[in-house]
Amino acid sequence: MLRRLVAVNGLVKIEVCSEPTMTEQSVLIQTHFSAISPGTEYKLIESSRESPVPLGYSAAGTVLAVGSKVLGIKEGDKVACYGGPFVTHSERLVVPQNLCVRLPDDVSLSDAAFVGLGAIAVHGVRSLGIQFGEIVAIFGLGLLGQLSTQLCHEANYLSIVTDLSEVRRGRLLNHYSTASGVQVLDSSHFSAAISEASGGGGADAVLICAHSLQSGLLDAALEVVRYRGRVVIVGNIPVECSREKMFQKEVDVQVSRAGGIGRYDEGYENRGIDFPRSLVRWTEGRNMQEVIRLLASGRLDIDSLVTHRIAFNDAPSAYTEMKQESDFMAAVLSY
């Protein structure tokens, strides 16, 4: 038997459950760390009822066993893994091989536990479809917004970003100088900065990383994007906007789905059938590999974003406490 975190009737509890069943395409992992995804998990907690809902989808640990058809991963390897329902906040995990990435020695298991959130950010930034030196506007500086801004900076996009929270804006301001190509602004200066940077043309693309139940964010994005630009939605927002605004600018609006191509695909995830690179350059698994490469090279900083490090046994009370704290950005569970 093992333990995992679940949401029941709006609360987080530790549940005892059966050991996961191995398959020939899967890897058995002893979990060392798992990352809390604030937006997704608090939404699940708030909507939970009597039936337990497992929490979590990104983790790292040590391989205990591998299925007979698994290639490139062996017992004793350190790996990062991503994707529900296989990955949860659980002491042991059985994960399909395409959702596991081997770790080099210079990447910590704690950082690697965020591989799933990193892959989501990577896929969102790729979906922008813009080029070296172009302008991206980012709404929302939670964990995904912070990671996305780092990725846009590494790609040499001019990034103009905003968030309602002064604390979140301040965290990013501490990371970048004014000469870095990243402008962190409140809402009153955001549009003007985009207009100035673009000569009045608007941002080449907009990335929405915010989570909000209120409509209006998509319209705000349409206001600042250029003619025939693109808006990519990573966060959970109402997809409602003015048809007139879309018509005037002929904007491409896209929802970025999770960590990339392959997510929720039965053949890719459950049966280990990969997409050829010649057809799909960046799958979910290859986006995960890129996150680990960026961590190994020091070009992606996750450690400074972690505001809470929590022992698994303390998790139920910690979820309640973290939600009340204004500086809560990212949390990692240790096992």
Side-chain angles (χ1 to χ4, degrees), residues 21 102 113 140 157 177 186 193 217 240-241 254 266 306 308 320:
T21 302
R102 288 181 62 200
Y157 304 155
S177 69
D186 61 27
L217 263 178
E240 302 170 357
C241 64
Q254 176 179 333
E266 169 71 19
V306 177
H308 295 74
T320 302

Side-chain angles (χ1 to χ4, degrees), residues 156 177 219 264 333:
N156 197 42
S177 69
D219 274 341
Y264 309 114
L333 298 177

Side-chain angles (χ1 to χ4, degrees), residues 30-48:
Q30 177 69 53
T31 311
H32 294 300
F33 297 95
S34 60
I36 292 175
S37 175
T40 300
E41 293 190 40
Y42 279 108
K43 180 183 177 183
L44 286 174
I45 294 166
E46 290 167 2
S47 62
S48 64

Side-chain angles (χ1 to χ4, degrees), residues 116-321:
L117 290 105
I120 292 168
V122 165
H123 184 54
V125 171
R126 291 196 197 286
S127 299
L128 294 171
I130 61 176
Q131 300 182 46
F132 185 90
E134 293 188 330
I135 301 169
V136 59
I138 299 178
F139 288 85
L141 292 174
L143 181 54
L144 286 176
Q146 301 270 341
L147 292 174
S148 298
T149 302
Q150 290 187 39
L151 293 167
C152 287
H153 178 257
E154 290 299 325
N156 197 42
Y157 304 155
L158 173 58
S159 305
I160 303 174
V161 305
T162 190
D163 192 286
L164 294 176
S165 166
E166 184 177 355
V167 173
R168 291 180 173 182
R169 295 198 307 270
R171 180 176 291 279
L172 198 59
L173 280 168
N174 290 335
H175 197 86
Y176 292 109
S177 69
T178 55
S180 66
V182 177
Q183 297 184 47
V184 186
L185 302 164
D186 61 27
S187 57
S188 63
H189 298 93
F190 186 61
S191 296
I194 294 170
S195 181
E196 181 179 355
S198 64
D204 295 288
V206 177
L207 190 64
I208 301 178
C209 296
H211 290 259
S212 175
L213 298 178
Q214 303 297 317
S215 60
L217 263 178
L218 189 48
D219 274 341
L222 294 174
E223 291 281 357
V224 300
V225 74
R226 67 166 169 82
Y227 173 65
R228 304 201 78 185
R230 176 174 289 189
V231 176
V232 173
I233 302 170
V234 175
N236 182 17
I237 65 165
V239 185
E240 302 170 357
C241 64
S242 162
R243 184 188 182 280
E244 182 63 20
K245 286 186 172 70
M246 289 190 71
F247 178 83
Q248 290 297 328
K249 290 189 175 179
E250 203 172 5
V251 175
D252 179 12
V253 176
Q254 176 179 333
V255 174
S256 176
R257 188 170 79 166
I261 296 171
R263 188 70 182 108
Y264 309 114
D265 184 273
E266 169 71 19
Y268 180 85
E269 293 194 338
N270 292 73
R271 291 186 281 134
I273 303 171
D274 202 356
F275 295 93
R277 287 185 180 228
S278 58
L279 298 179
V280 180
R281 177 62 184 91
W282 291 106
T283 60
E284 174 183 30
R286 291 194 271 274
N287 281 337
M288 293 167 62
Q289 291 171 1
E290 180 63 9
V291 171
I292 300 304
R293 187 190 73 82
L294 289 168
L295 285 171
S297 65
R299 299 173 74 87
L300 188 65
D301 175 19
I302 287 176
D303 186 70
S304 69
L305 298 176
V306 177
T307 52
H308 295 74
R309 300 180 186 276
I310 303 156
F312 176 79
N313 290 339
D314 299 331
S317 59
Y319 270 82
T320 302
E321 295 166 4

